[in-house]
Structure formats: C-alpha cells, structure tokens
Amino acid sequence: MPTGLPLGGVEAGGTKFVCGVGSSPEDVVVESFPTTSPDATLDGVIRFFRHASPSAVGVGSFGPLDLHPESSTYGHITSTPKPGWRQFDLAGTIARALAVPIGFDTDVNAAALGEGRWGAARALSDYLYLTIGTGIGGGAVVGGKVLHGLVHPEMGHIRVPHDPERDPFPGSCPYHGDCLEGLASGQAIARRWGRPADEIPDDHPAWELEAEYIGLGLATWVCTLSPRRIVVGGGVMRRRRLLPLVRHELQRLLGGYIESVALTADIDRYVTSPRLGDRSGVLGALVLAERACRLADGDTPSSHSGKD
Amino acid sequence: MPTGLPLGGVEAGGTKFVCGVGSSPEDVVVESFPTTSPDATLDGVIRFFRHASPSAVGVGSFGPLDLHPESSTYGHITSTPKPGWRQFDLAGTIARALAVPIGFDTDVNAAALGEGRWGAARALSDYLYLTIGTGIGGGAVVGGKVLHGLVHPEMGHIRVPHDPERDPFPGSCPYHGDCLEGLASGQAIARRWGRPADEIPDDHPAWELEAEYIGLGLATWVCTLSPRRIVVGGGVMRRRRLLPLVRHELQRLLGGYIESVALTADIDRYVTSPRLGDRSGVLGALVLAERACRLADGDTPSSHSGKD
C-alpha cells in the first residue's frame, strides 16, 4: 500500500471474530477472539488493530447488515436473533476507535472477494461463494462486482423441495422452518441426527440427504445466477465424501438442460473447494480494506471490481 | 440516432416474432409474424426490416442461446426442443441479410432492458423482469448490467416445494418434471386443469395454487438476487386477481426476515406489472439495437448499462 502500513481485516462470525493484518495470504497474521457481548468482543478486536496500526480495516460480518452508505444505520448488524448484537453499529464502533477507513460487507461477500483475488475464483467475473456451516450463506460476484441490490442476498433462506415422508425433520430455521438452511446447515444436521456433523460416520445416510439439499441449492443458483464457478466452503463441507456427491446431484437435477462443458466434463472444476481454506473471509476482508483506502483517497466506487 | 435511421427490434418467441422499427414507445411501429419454420419466419422478418431500413437490429429470442461473442456458435439458438430451430443461427441469418449491426440477447433480458429504459424499472440498477406465460423466464439487471454469466439464467427451471398430495399434477417440463415452469407455466395450468388459463374462472382454486408457486419463485429470487423491484409480466399474469395474491405469498414466505420497507409497506410497488404491456420485449430489442450501433461505432462494452 502507498502508506507502507499493512491492511486490517475482520471476519466477524457468530462464534468468533477472526482478525488479520497484512496484505496477502503470504504475510497475513491472524488472531481470533470469541464472540461474546459486543463490548467484550470489540475490545479484543480494537486492541489487536491498535497494536498493528493498519491503514484501513475491512469487516466481513454475519448479518443481516445495513450496507447502504446513505443510510443512517449504515454499518449496523440489523435483525439478527443473536443476543446483544441486534442494531449494533459494528463498522462505526471500529471506525471511531481506530480512525481509519472501514470497508464493510457480509462475511460471505468478503469470502467471495478473497477467493476471487487469491483463491479458487481468480480472474473470474461471475462466480458464487457458498458456505455450508452452522448456517448457510452465499456471496455472488456478477460482472466483476459483488452483488448487493436492495439489501444483500440471504441465499441460505431459499425454499427447496422437502419430502416429509423421507425426511420428517421439520427444519431448524426460526423464520422459515424448512428453508435450505433449516434443512441442510450444520445446526440442522445436528438436530436431525442427534449428534454434530463431524461425529456422523461416512457411511451414514445423512450425507446422501445432505448432498441432495445442497444440490437443490446449487441447481437453483445455476438457473438464477449462471455463475462461471461455484466455490463451496464451510465446516460441513470438510467431509470429503460430500463434494463429489453434491456435484453429482447438481448434474442430475439440471438434467442436461443447460449446455455447457463447465457443467459436464469440467464439473470438478466448476463446483470446487475454497483455495484459501478457513481464511477466505479474513483475506477477503483485506480486499475490503484496500477498497476503503482507495475510496478514502478519492477513487470512485466503480473501480470496486471483484477482479482487481 | 446519429444516422437519422430508425432502430429495429425483434422479440423472437415460440409462437410469433414481433418486429418493430422506431426509437421509443412513442414512435415504434410493430408487426408480427407467426413462428413456423426458421426459413419462412425469417423471410417475413427480413422483408419487414428491408422495407424499414433500420441502422441496427436488436434480437431478444427464446432460448437457450449462445451469447458469447467469442464462440463459433454465437447468435445461435442451442438446445431448444422446438422442431427446426435447434442450432439455428438466428443472429447471423439476420446480420447477413440486412448487413447492419445486430444486438442479441434472451427475450427476457430484452424485456428487462425495455422496462428499465421506459417502463416499470426506470432508473433502477438492480431489478428482475419475469414472464409467466407459456413458459417461465427471468432477466436480471445487476449493478446496471444484464446478468449473463456462464450461459444465461434459466430461471423458470428452479425447483420449488411441491406437495403431491395437494397437487398431484406431476409437472409439465420435459427436462425436470415439476420445476417451477413445470408447475406454474401457462402450459402447466392448462394440463393440470384441462383448460387454458384464460378459461378458468376467478373463484377457481387454480389461482391460489398458482400464486403459491410464483410466490416461491419470487422468494427464491429475493433471497438470491436481492432485486430493488420485480416486474412480472406474461400471459398468465393478465389475470388481475393473481398479482395481489403473489405479493401476499411473497411476504408470507419471507416471514419478515429481510428487513426492508420495499418488502412491507411498499410491496405493491416492489412486485409490479410491466409498464410497457406486451411491448417490453420488442422495445427492449430496440435498446439492444442501439447498443449494437454504439459497439459498431467503437464504443466499449462497459457502456452497456441497464440504466442508459
């Protein structure tokens, strides 16, 4: 960076805040703080960054969020059921404490940017990053820019076919019951089968069912967003059996209707794991910080390309 | 236009090709040709344009299409089951006959452009145009540009919940059975109830069921694309009862999770009818023609904004 100072990034999650300083996967130094109350959590985060003196900080946060710069609640976490965090001014709290430019976006949009810059979606202008973990979320880059629109996507909350005879679990989403997140998140798996996903053996029928639900999500997003690649991360996807099952389900559901070699011979490259592992989010937050720097230097938002 | 000549537009549909010359809704002159064989259909289309001498022609076509300018089959209709039209070089045939620049996109992307320029989505950078007719399709404008990606969206083919006890109709899609188009298109309605949609009375349960399926589609797209407005056209939507039912279903399905006044107090403006009536497609094709002109004049593709 022109300042010679490092960039800062925060992946603000429901269980921990992952903070990093640096400029790339090669030099980033990372530290995590458990998510407790906003005050206690931010106290650790701010002390970490005061010590590192970054030129700007990017924040990729759990949501829903207010991402509209012209809004009076810009930078806030909005309707989360998480105790204490509802209407919390996350970006503003960090900005006031550190007095540096702040970039702000959803956790999955940050992760999408990280994978686009250094990971599995490099040089692509249209792709999707998904996380299948405690919850399910997605960040889309369309025409080289992160998709925001009216609010921001909430991809985990799409409805998918659910056969209650085959899968009597009613779904775990407090808002929608059996939306995709309610059926296929790590939380849903744990509640359906009575034990956490990582304790369920490889040969358990849980994995075929999980692949079917994720495949339904992917088919929906292929038909809607027509991404050039889908990067699927998150804790549930650490199960190595799952990704090949998901690819197979996606092909079965599309039924050959959309003609593209990406969806046939190249399916293993089309549906792929993050290349930055667990660091997609915090590294993507560095990209947000870099953009915040440029904006502060008077650059225009149109330079905010997902490819840069 | 700098040439003083009018623009030409074609909405290439499965039952008719609607051709227009002019520059806006105020002056466009429209003529339709039934869709028969490619040769006979294009014969009428080309004669119409030879007489009108447009400076460029935009084509919004039924698909799937090859939209990648670098492809050897750019401008072709690809995997359609429609007899005679599979692998037909639609854009090339018109270009060779008229020797003018040709713009080419899907019928729904053209209609989205038309509504963005003169209709219900004016001045919006992120919106969705849907048609619920013989088939179901959608065109999305994201960050001011038409979304294309890997191929182009095929929104009608998303899977939605389908309760076979309540609705035993297995779906009419030859590729997917009970995808959204298979359950809720005009064709599906006619096959499920044994008569065309426009012969089904207002108080028939067909309309509640139809609203549920369309609502499921809209909820999926709100969660995925976060559009700032959804414009819903097509023959099935001419039933006046349907749009209010669809709005209600969308709100019910979202369950208050996404906080935006657009989705609550302003829902009637958020989910709305096309303002160009049946002419969204052919007028949007004029926008495609205008862009083809500019490209031919050496302008860059980045000026291809949905807002211009």
Side-chain angles (χ1 to χ4, degrees):
Chain A
M1 296 308 299
T3 58
L5 295 171
L7 296 164
V10 187
E11 184 189 5
T15 56
K16 62 184 174 181
F17 275 48
V18 182
C19 299
V21 285
S23 64
S24 76
E26 279 69 48
D27 67 6
V28 70
V29 176
V30 167
E31 194 172 329
S32 289
F33 302 88
T35 308
T36 56
S37 70
D39 281 358
T41 311
L42 270 291
D43 192 55
V45 168
I46 286 162
R47 266 193 288 138
F48 172 83
F49 285 122
R50 278 211 176 116
H51 182 256
S53 287
S55 56
V57 173
V59 182
S61 178
F62 72 93
L65 307 175
D66 185 337
L67 298 179
H68 290 295
E70 71 280 8
S71 161
S72 62
T73 54
Y74 170 76
H76 291 220
I77 296 172
T78 60
S79 60
T80 178
K82 202 169 172 58
W85 291 88
R86 198 180 159 88
Q87 303 304 342
F88 179 67
D89 181 6
L90 178 57
T93 301
I94 299 175
R96 283 187 293 274
L98 299 175
V100 295
I102 302 292
F104 190 61
D105 212 325
T106 65
D107 44 6
V108 281
N109 282 346
L113 287 172
E115 289 294 326
R117 179 69 159 274
W118 295 293
R122 252 181 296 185
L124 292 178
S125 57
D126 298 82
Y127 62 93
L128 178 59
Y129 171 88
L130 295 171
T131 179
I132 319 286
T134 313
I136 293 181
V141 170
V142 174
K145 289 185 191 172
V146 173
L147 185 155
H148 287 124
L150 178 70
V151 181
H152 52 70
E154 285 287 352
M155 296 198 199
H157 295 274
I158 64 168
R159 296 307 208 294
V160 293
H162 171 210
D163 177 357
E165 281 197 25
R166 193 164 157 235
D167 173 24
F169 180 64
S172 63
C173 174
Y175 288 87
H176 311 115
D178 63 351
C179 64
L180 182 63
E181 177 169 296
L183 291 170
S185 65
Q187 202 175 46
I189 296 173
R191 282 178 53 184
R192 179 188 290 110
W193 304 108
R195 49 185 162 167
D198 56 10
E199 292 176 18
I200 296 173
D202 255 8
D203 59 356
H204 192 283
W207 300 113
E208 267 88 17
L209 187 68
E210 180 68 10
E212 284 176 39
Y213 289 132
I214 302 175
L216 282 162
L218 262 54
T220 293
W221 295 314
V222 167
C223 289
T224 300
L225 293 163
S226 199
R228 288 176 179 272
R229 190 164 297 163
I230 302 179
V231 183
V232 198
V236 172
M237 295 307 298
R238 280 194 210 112
R239 178 68 50 141
R240 292 185 147 243
R241 263 201 82 193
L242 198 50
L243 197 61
L245 292 174
V246 166
R247 291 181 184 125
H248 183 261
E249 273 302 298
L250 173 61
Q251 290 185 318
R252 189 184 68 77
L253 286 161
L254 292 176
Y257 182 69
I258 299 174
E259 287 188 0
S260 170
V261 72
L263 297 166
T264 52
D266 289 351
I267 189 75
D268 289 358
R269 205 145 54 117
Y270 187 74
V271 181
T272 187
S273 300
R275 251 198 238 154
L276 305 175
D278 290 343
R279 303 193 303 168
S280 317
V282 68
L283 286 165
L286 296 185
V287 180
L288 292 172
E290 188 184 273
R291 292 172 179 196
C293 260
R294 281 206 220 132
L295 263 185
D297 290 347
D299 206 359
T300 61
S302 69
S303 62
H304 282 202
S305 154
K307 290 188 291 184
D308 64 5
Chain B
M1 296 306 297
T3 57
L5 295 171
L7 296 164
V10 187
E11 184 188 6
T15 56
K16 62 185 173 180
F17 274 49
V18 182
C19 299
V21 286
S23 64
S24 77
E26 279 68 48
D27 67 6
V28 70
V29 176
V30 167
E31 194 172 329
S32 290
F33 302 88
T35 307
T36 56
S37 70
D39 281 359
T41 311
L42 270 290
D43 192 54
V45 169
I46 286 162
R47 266 192 288 139
F48 172 84
F49 285 122
R50 278 211 176 117
H51 182 255
S53 288
S55 56
V57 173
V59 181
S61 178
F62 73 92
L65 307 175
D66 185 337
L67 297 178
H68 290 295
E70 71 280 8
S71 161
S72 63
T73 54
Y74 170 76
H76 291 219
I77 297 172
T78 60
S79 60
T80 177
K82 204 169 170 58
W85 290 88
R86 198 180 159 89
Q87 303 304 341
F88 178 67
D89 182 7
L90 178 56
T93 300
I94 299 174
R96 282 188 294 274
L98 299 175
V100 295
I102 302 292
F104 190 60
D105 212 325
T106 64
D107 43 8
V108 280
N109 282 345
L113 287 172
E115 289 293 327
R117 179 67 159 274
W118 296 292
R122 253 182 296 184
L124 292 178
S125 58
D126 298 82
Y127 62 92
L128 177 59
Y129 171 88
L130 294 170
T131 178
I132 319 285
T134 313
I136 293 180
V141 170
V142 174
K145 290 185 191 173
V146 173
L147 186 154
H148 287 123
L150 178 71
V151 181
H152 51 70
E154 284 288 350
M155 296 197 199
H157 295 274
I158 64 169
R159 296 308 208 293
V160 293
H162 171 210
D163 177 356
E165 280 196 27
R166 189 162 161 236
D167 173 23
F169 179 63
S172 64
C173 174
Y175 288 88
H176 311 115
D178 62 352
C179 65
L180 182 63
E181 178 169 296
L183 290 170
S185 65
Q187 202 176 46
I189 296 172
R191 282 178 51 184
R192 180 188 290 110
W193 303 108
R195 49 185 163 167
D198 57 8
E199 291 177 17
I200 297 174
D202 254 9
D203 59 358
H204 193 282
W207 300 113
E208 268 89 18
L209 188 67
E210 180 68 10
E212 284 178 38
Y213 288 132
I214 301 175
L216 282 162
L218 262 56
T220 294
W221 296 314
V222 167
C223 289
T224 301
L225 293 163
S226 199
R228 288 175 180 274
R229 191 163 297 162
I230 302 179
V231 183
V232 198
V236 172
M237 296 306 298
R238 278 194 212 112
R239 178 69 49 141
R240 292 185 146 242
R241 263 201 83 193
L242 199 49
L243 197 62
L245 291 175
V246 166
R247 290 181 184 126
H248 183 261
E249 273 301 299
L250 173 62
Q251 290 185 317
R252 190 184 67 78
L253 287 161
L254 293 176
Y257 182 69
I258 299 174
E259 287 189 1
S260 171
V261 72
L263 297 166
T264 53
D266 288 351
I267 189 74
D268 290 357
R269 206 148 51 120
Y270 187 74
V271 180
T272 187
S273 299
R275 247 194 243 157
L276 304 176
D278 291 343
R279 302 192 304 167
S280 315
V282 68
L283 286 164
L286 296 185
V287 180
L288 292 173
E290 189 184 273
R291 291 171 180 198
C293 261
R294 282 207 219 132
L295 263 183
D297 290 347
D299 207 358
T300 62
S302 69
S303 61
H304 282 199
S305 153
K307 290 188 292 184
D308 63 6

